[in-house]
């Protein structure tokens, strides 16, 4: 009988985790008290706003335009990302639980950071929030959850919280540069969410490289039921991605078109993912890793262009290539990254987020540059690219250039930010697991049942056998000692 | 080899369960035939109503204000409550299945009971239902599902149906007293749903106390996968709680604000739950029981005040304390309740519903009493507290008092009602399981695979071993007899 | 130790599956390029449409009437149908994964087929799509997913894609005949979706009859966790069925009423399903097969009449009988179909879709024939049955006749179409599994963990025992060879 694994003081987070949670949550309360207020559509003065702005019906409240999309996005963040990461045989608690923790902190910090950069009222010094703020906060959190995928199973919850604190901060800055300064469009976040989040996570895991990770090889990979759980995550992400890409686009045709484009693009991705996955095996068998992940690449890649007039067949084409490229990423690029570049990417976020995000940025730049009044209509073009105010004379070609510039910004923020944050996370104070204990929930969770079952037999002189029920490790130990 | 457990005639529900289902369902059909009709927004005469009331668009139909929230609430009732209770290692069928059964009956009975008390037309003698009625019926059912949590695994489905019949009845009465007579506000039901449901369940399980419940200790607690299933329930409750608390609040800012407040409050709860859970273990490990349950306490506690101008930081503060108190409840209070007060509370509803519900009532009373025209605006104050008709001169202080009175009513109805219903359920006619068979699906469900796997070896003279696949109990028995 | 199963060249789909996926997806892109465009509500010209049609608010865009329902339907298609079929002990990947694949292809083909038949603009030769088109495409896919239920575990993914290609094609034709030529009403698709899909699948599985299917008996049936997974599917179907039946009904009261009727009908079905299930066992135990499936029959049966003034108690009555009939179908009719008619129906779609679909068609015909101006109002009657244009003089009695005719059309299309498609699928080129390998994910999926666990003991001379962890089949083999 093997001894229980010798993890000890180093993964003890009994001091750090509660302190971080308490202090940061109290800081949130204070900062919210100073800065955050209801906006005019969620304040009881809405009745006066309505009268003042000649709004005839409560249904004009932005709540009714965006709340269904918000709830879909919310499900993607907590169930989608959470369960997608449960594929490991013994890391479901960490996948769902830590995802839950960092998203809950992150959305609060995001409301502040995004508020300061995007909607701080210069007169009152307050940030006014409504349903669109909640969606943006969830979006912001998505960037950090993507990064979590790269380090899944190899870090402590305290490290994850630190990673989230800096991740949200960097996100708000790059988002401000891309959307406000460069005036690039990125409603579904191919650049600001996926490209940034992907490279942020990859840079962190590169800094945190573990040469002896093979010592926990027994815990890597999936078991049958964990793959089924992961499909819950995959499907809720896949189904609700049209809501994700349309959640903050323009009222009316903007939301409508973004949903249609994403729906079509994702359908196309599924077919090419299946094709490549089947091609990759001698007998054409499918691999759940590909089905769970690459089927989603189309949604990532349409994040920028979903609201554009990319046209239905254009959406299908994007999905077509994303399914191929992402699946090939899992087959060829991930092993290369691990062996050659020393990037250990647990969930393959390079193939699901970083690379499709870059594709999305390029698609967005090209389709923006190719936009024309004949397709969009005069007012449609203005509305779609928000060619108003300082930007009313911008040409579509210039817009295409700024879209491409935006993509570079998101990559730079991801790589540089991730490298710096990775160095901070390398300090030996965060309680991360030893190489041989990675990917194991027993490090940070009370697991009532051991990872493997044991069965004890005592052999009777006459060749009979006594059968015991499957027992836990502790019960086994004591029975063992009693009988043998 | 142990004998199959000796449950017998006493858990046979082949007569009672079908009879109750048939008779009650037929009664529902008759009562619906006599009383229930479509309201003017779901009737084909809507086209005339529109013309008559100068409604310009179909989008003004209440359906479009409330249906998305309704569907979220519906998911909470059936998937949320159902899967939350699947944490036990061998009671998933009972958790999800009986939840399904009693909710399906309960919502019909609730439509009638709530209709009689709240919306019976005095001229026609009919109850007119629309989407808001469906939401209220689901809310009413929630009270009984909370109570189910206390007795999970220890009662028969017939007992659950009886508990639901009386629970819905009591609910409708206390709701009428609190909302109509006392004119208290309680949109998300801290008092009418959670406090009532919590104490109702606790009183029932107190009456049904089983001194020898330790005999089924082997079936208590979770296994790894059952905890993962329970997180599905937790997350769908957590994500959709903003819809729950905003589902029947005022159109426009009311729904908008309630959703924002609940969203923030729940995020805050997660951090303090994690902090206390980690503090409670020697090495700071987290406990899934806390993560599954206490993270939801903030939603319960904001049920009353969600539509008030509690302000974003106020919502965070409520969540902050609820996470602490609820988690401490699981650590300290539940063992005390069980040992000292003889209250066996399977799911810990005291910590998730009863106690946070009371907190919610208090928060509601205080925030109501502290409301002011300067914060709410004149019309906003009237709208929020519905200071119209008989109540147009009520002051906010008086309102605070009536809120507190409402909370007392819900406690009294829960405790007294639960004690009486518990006594009825104690009659030896309901087919409840023996102490040693509690928490086991095999009592009421055809389980094709036994709870534990067995493996048979026959020992060859030369020391070899023959390996069999894992087999069911029956197969094992016969193989055993053949070989040994 | 048994040898690994001898499947070989015949289930190799490494050529056929990728070829079909690539070629069909490219065909979709070309056809979309030629035919599919955004409709006026999802096009950037919406701003001009609004001005032109005096639409005052973006909220009048059909997106806001139908998108929440669309997302619910989308969840039913991918999570509902997918997880409902995970009940088999070792076919979760195939259930969820192939469901994912064929739905993703099917919805693209459905947009084209339905577009050509229903919305091809004669002047431009284009099909204009919006959110209602997406819902209809999902509906169309549902018919094929129903058929998948009959052949679950017995066909290859290539066969499924072929089945879907023809299924969608047949669907679009029968739908055109029923809805346009006969002008029958069928908003929730009792006839066009469920009856057609049910008989289509039954006819296919009848042609593909496997006399030696008992050779894979060990893989049939469920295990405990697979039943819990299946309940995820059941509940998401059950909860969102009100959205399914109301998704494309008239704005306003039409959607409102359809949702209420379906909600009530399904609640009633649960009680009678439980009653009959309990009656069917000696000790009144419940059977998960019934709870997972028959509880949904009410939604199927109200597909046609959901938008009619069937009245709340009428909906309860339909649900009452559907629960009884469907559960009895599982108990009595399925064994009869298999033994006598040689129809092997893995999921029992006869009891969940075909039979309740026919009931739904009959209920629709009767309630249509019984409609009256006194109940509906003059304009309400016209709106509900769309008595406009060529059909403005049709009487309700005539309408009832055409409804009945529609049902016959759907049966004929299902049976004849299924028989023909079944014959095509019988060709020995599709890589379907051998009789002994049915219902096993290892045929088409890389399964990292074997289906059964093994435990190896070596017996020490002195009667001691060495305990190994549970190991995979391969590890076992090598250990076995080493020790014994």
């Amino acid at each position: 009988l093997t001894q229980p694994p010798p993890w000890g003081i180093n993964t003890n987070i009994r001091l750090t985790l509660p302190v971080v949670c308490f202090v940061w949550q109290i800081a949130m309360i204070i900062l919210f008290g100073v800065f955050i207020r209801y906006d005019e559509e969620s304040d009881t003065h809405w009745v006066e706003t309505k009268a003042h702005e000649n709004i005839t019906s409560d249904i004009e409240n932005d709540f009714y335009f965006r709340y269904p999309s918000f709830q879909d996005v919310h499900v993607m963040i907590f169930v989608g990302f959470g369960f997608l990461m449960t594929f490991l045989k013994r890391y479901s608690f960490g996948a769902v639980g830590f995802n839950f923790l960092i998203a809950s902190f992150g959305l609060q910090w995001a409301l502040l950071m995004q508020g300061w950069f995007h909607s701080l009222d210069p007169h009152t010094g307050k940030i006014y929030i409504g349903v669109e703020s909640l969606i943006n906060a969830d979006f912001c959190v998505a960037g950090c959850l993507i990064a979590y995928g790269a380090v899944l199973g190899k870090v402590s919850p305290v490290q994850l919280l630190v990673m989230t604190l800096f991740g949200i901060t960097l996100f708000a800055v790059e988002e401000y540069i891309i959307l406000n300064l460069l005036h690039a469009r990125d409603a579904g976040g191919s650049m600001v969410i996926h490209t940034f989040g992907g490279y942020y996570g990859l840079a962190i895991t590169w800094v945190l490289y573990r040469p002896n990770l093979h010592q926990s090889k027994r815990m890597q990979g999936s078991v049958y039921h964990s793959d089924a759980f992961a499909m819950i995550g995959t499907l809720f992400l896949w189904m609700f991605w049209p809501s994700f890409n349309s959640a903050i686009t323009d009222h009316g045709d903007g939301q409508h078109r973004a949903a249609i484009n994403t729906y079509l693009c994702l359908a196309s991705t599924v077919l090419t993912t299946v094709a490549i996955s089947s091609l990759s095996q001698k007998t054409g068998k499918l691999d759940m890793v590909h089905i769970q992940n690459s089927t989603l690449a189309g949604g990532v890649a349409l994040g920028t262009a979903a609201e554009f007039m990319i046209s239905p067949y254009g959406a299908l084409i994007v999905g077509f290539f994303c399914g191929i490229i992402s699946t090939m990423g899992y087959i060829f690029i991930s092993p290369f990254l691990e062996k050659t570049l020393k990037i250990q990417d647990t969930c393959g976020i390079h193939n699901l987020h970083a690379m499709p995000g870059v594709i999305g940025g390029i698609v967005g730049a090209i389709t923006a540059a190719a936009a024309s009044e004949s397709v969009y209509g005069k007012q449609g073009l203005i509305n779609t690219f928000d060619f108003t105010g300082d930007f009313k004379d911008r040409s579509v070609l210039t817009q295409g250039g700024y879209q491409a510039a935006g993509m570079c910004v998101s990559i730079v923020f991801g790589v540089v930010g991730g490298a710096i944050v990775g160095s901070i996370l390398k300090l030996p104070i965060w309680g991360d697991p030893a190489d041989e204990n990675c990917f194991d929930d027993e490090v940070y969770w009370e697991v009532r049942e051991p990872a493997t079952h044991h069965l004890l037999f005592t052999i009777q002189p006459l060749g009979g056998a006594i059968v015991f029920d499957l027992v836990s490790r502790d019960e086994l130990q004591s029975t063992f000692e009693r009988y043998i």
Side-chain angles (χ1 to χ4, degrees), chain A:
Chain A
L1 283 172
T2 54
Q3 290 294 315
W7 58 72
I9 190 68
N10 62 324
T11 63
N12 188 329
I13 49 170
R14 199 186 179 186
L15 181 66
T16 45
L17 183 59
V19 165
V20 169
C21 285
F22 274 129
V23 172
W24 291 10
Q25 186 57 55
I26 290 168
M28 290 300 112
I29 291 172
I30 294 168
L31 290 168
F32 268 61
V34 176
F35 288 104
I36 307 264
R37 297 293 179 271
Y38 303 117
D39 73 5
E40 59 182 13
E41 301 192 287
S42 56
D43 189 287
T44 44
H45 292 86
W46 163 247
V47 61
E48 295 156 27
T49 308
K50 268 200 303 178
H52 186 256
E53 299 186 7
N54 271 324
I55 295 167
T56 52
S57 167
D58 280 325
I59 199 90
E60 299 277 337
N61 194 301
D62 199 36
F63 183 79
Y64 302 104
F65 287 91
R66 307 218 183 268
Y67 190 70
S69 307
F70 160 68
Q71 273 297 3
D72 293 350
V73 171
H74 216 40
V75 171
M76 293 173 73
I77 298 298
F78 289 89
V79 163
F81 281 103
F83 273 90
L84 183 61
M85 297 191 287
T86 59
F87 72 99
L88 287 171
K89 68 181 72 164
R90 204 68 182 178
Y91 209 70
S92 299
F93 296 179
V96 171
F98 295 154
N99 184 81
F100 195 16
L101 171 64
I102 63 180
S104 295
F105 165 70
L107 61 87
Q108 298 177 57
W109 182 228
L111 282 169
L112 285 162
M113 281 301 302
Q114 293 186 313
W116 285 322
F117 274 102
H118 291 279
S119 56
L120 192 70
D121 187 298
H123 302 105
T124 61
K126 304 296 181 198
I127 298 160
Y128 297 95
I129 62 169
V131 65
E132 193 170 339
S133 320
L134 308 191
I135 297 170
N136 274 312
D138 273 18
F139 277 6
C140 196
V141 161
C144 295
L145 301 182
I146 290 164
Y148 179 25
V151 297
L152 182 75
K154 301 175 295 185
V155 294
S156 76
V158 183
Q159 282 175 304
L160 286 172
L161 282 165
V162 173
M163 196 180 92
T164 304
L165 178 77
F166 288 109
I168 300 283
T169 311
L170 289 162
F171 184 102
V173 178
E174 59 110 28
E175 186 192 36
Y176 178 72
I177 295 171
I178 294 171
L179 301 189
N180 294 45
L181 302 188
L182 301 179
H183 197 71
R185 304 291 285 174
D186 197 17
S190 290
M191 304 183 288
V192 299
I193 300 170
H194 298 287
T195 304
F196 166 74
Y199 285 104
Y200 182 62
L202 291 169
I204 291 174
T205 197
W206 175 72
V207 175
L208 299 181
Y209 180 68
R210 290 170 178 262
N212 298 314
L213 191 59
H214 57 83
Q215 290 176 4
S216 56
K217 196 168 187 309
R218 75 192 183 290
M219 303 303 286
Q220 286 180 294
S222 62
V223 290
Y224 195 74
H225 278 116
S226 70
D227 270 325
F229 275 114
M231 280 305 288
I232 297 174
T234 299
L235 287 176
F236 275 102
L237 287 169
W238 193 91
M239 297 181 302
F240 288 164
W241 217 295
S243 299
F244 192 93
N245 283 350
S246 71
I248 57 163
T249 52
D250 288 343
H251 288 178
D253 65 292
Q255 289 194 272
H256 204 151
R257 188 169 54 255
I260 293 172
N261 286 336
T262 310
Y263 169 93
L264 291 173
C265 182
L266 283 164
S268 176
T269 309
V270 174
L271 270 86
T272 52
T273 298
V274 167
I276 300 294
S277 183
S278 178
L279 272 176
S280 73
Q281 294 285 342
K282 254 192 324 206
T283 57
K285 290 188 185 186
L286 300 173
D287 190 326
M288 280 303 268
V289 172
H290 307 153
I291 307 303
Q292 284 161 8
N293 292 283
S294 295
T295 52
L296 300 166
V300 172
L302 216 67
T304 302
E307 60 177 329
F308 300 164
M309 293 285 285
I310 193 170
S311 79
Y313 75 92
L316 291 183
I317 291 171
V318 173
F320 186 91
F321 287 107
C322 279
I324 297 173
I325 293 167
S326 175
T327 313
M328 287 193 160
Y330 279 96
I331 300 168
F332 300 113
I333 303 179
S334 284
F336 169 81
L337 288 181
E338 177 143 7
K339 275 183 203 140
T340 312
L341 299 186
K342 309 293 182 200
I343 296 174
Q344 292 158 331
D345 176 6
T346 311
C347 295
I349 64 163
H350 175 266
N351 314 306
L352 172 49
H353 296 282
M355 198 165 48
V358 171
I359 294 172
I362 295 169
V363 169
I366 293 171
T367 46
S372 68
E373 257 187 49
S374 64
V375 171
Y376 284 75
K378 189 176 163 59
Q379 190 59 41
L381 198 65
I382 294 170
N383 290 351
T384 305
F385 295 98
D386 197 18
F387 286 153
T388 56
D390 292 348
F391 306 97
K392 74 177 157 56
D393 298 323
R394 187 182 273 190
S395 73
V396 292
L397 266 179
T398 316
Q399 179 67 27
Y402 279 104
Q403 295 284 143
M407 201 187 65
C408 300
V409 171
S410 66
I411 295 174
V412 169
F413 263 79
V415 172
V416 176
I420 296 168
V421 173
S423 309
I424 296 169
L425 296 181
K426 218 167 175 169
L427 298 174
I429 57 171
W430 305 116
D432 44 327
D435 289 340
E436 65 267 33
N437 300 328
C438 285
F439 314 115
D440 190 347
D441 269 336
E442 290 197 45
V443 180
Y444 301 115
W445 296 86
E446 282 296 305
V447 179
R448 285 172 184 80
E449 162 216 32
T452 48
H453 295 88
H454 299 257
L455 195 61
L456 184 70
F457 275 62
T458 58
I459 309 307
Q460 304 294 316
L462 297 174
I466 293 166
V467 182
F468 290 82
D469 282 2
L470 289 174
V471 293
S472 73
R473 186 178 293 187
D474 287 351
E475 285 178 273
L476 179 67
Q477 180 81 50
S478 66
T479 318
F480 195 85
E481 282 158 2
R482 204 158 58 237
Y483 280 88
I484 294 175

